[in-house]
Amino acid sequence: MQRRTFLKAGLLGGLALAAGGAAYRHFRPAPLQRFGLDEQGRLMLAALIPAITGLQPAPPALAAGIERVAAAIAALPLSMQKEISDLFGLLAMAPTRRLLAGVPAWQEASPAQVAAFLQNWRTHRTEMLQTAYHGLHDLVLGGWYADPATWVGTGYNGPMKELSA
């Protein structure tokens, strides 16, 4: 077998598999499921929260922040939960995490590595990565500052109270 024939066969086989997979997904779409935060997602959020907020929260506050982010995701429409689940899945798998984020396992990532990954996505020329960054950023900040106890560190004392006449 010649090299050219081998390459053509490989290319045609790959195209056939891709077409078959696309047809399967088209005719048998996966039902939308609620987002469930797994251990890898928790580890990722434990690295992202300090990098995005600029704070080093104590473990109980960090755990509570992770739960608030999970609750914020659970309140979104199922289609958005699916997109977030796909993003979390990509960032949980070692090869795609290394390729897309450039970080080792989340529990081993230094704050500088996480900050560099976020900055890279924020300014990336690909709109999809910018959108993913903004989604992570907004989810983390929304979940973090949903607790009034976190407002003190920013100097915000909460909404103004109405004065009764």
Side-chain angles (χ1 to χ4, degrees):
M1 179 182 264
Q2 292 182 338
R3 180 177 173 210
R4 183 172 296 210
T5 305
F6 179 74
L7 291 174
K8 284 180 184 177
L11 180 62
L12 288 174
L15 289 173
L17 284 173
Y24 180 80
R25 284 194 191 121
H26 177 71
F27 293 112
R28 299 204 46 163
L32 294 177
Q33 297 177 358
R34 293 221 164 268
F35 176 80
L37 189 61
D38 61 4
E39 187 58 30
Q40 284 297 314
R42 290 178 192 286
L43 292 171
M44 182 179 73
L45 287 173
L48 290 177
I49 288 175
I52 291 175
T53 63
L55 304 170
Q56 290 299 325
L62 184 60
I66 291 169
E67 293 307 318
R68 288 192 303 274
V69 171
I73 295 169
L76 295 172
L78 286 177
S79 59
M80 291 182 77
Q81 289 184 39
K82 168 78 170 97
E83 290 178 11
I84 293 168
S85 179
D86 291 346
L87 177 60
F88 274 50
L90 284 173
L91 292 175
M93 289 189 307
T96 53
R97 182 185 56 247
R98 285 262 188 202
L99 180 67
L100 293 173
V103 295
W106 288 110
Q107 63 269 26
E108 297 170 9
S110 71
Q113 287 173 313
V114 176
F117 141 66
L118 290 168
Q119 178 64 14
N120 181 30
W121 277 24
R122 187 178 75 80
T123 59
H124 203 276
R125 68 182 180 335
T126 306
E127 187 177 347
M128 183 178 65
L129 292 181
Q130 289 179 11
T131 302
Y133 162 79
H134 289 292
L136 287 172
H137 181 267
D138 293 352
L139 282 170
V140 166
L141 286 182
W144 181 257
Y145 289 112
D147 180 12
T150 61
W151 299 347
V152 176
T154 65
Y156 176 62
N157 296 323
M160 293 177 51
K161 309 284 189 261
E162 277 190 40
L163 298 174
S164 57

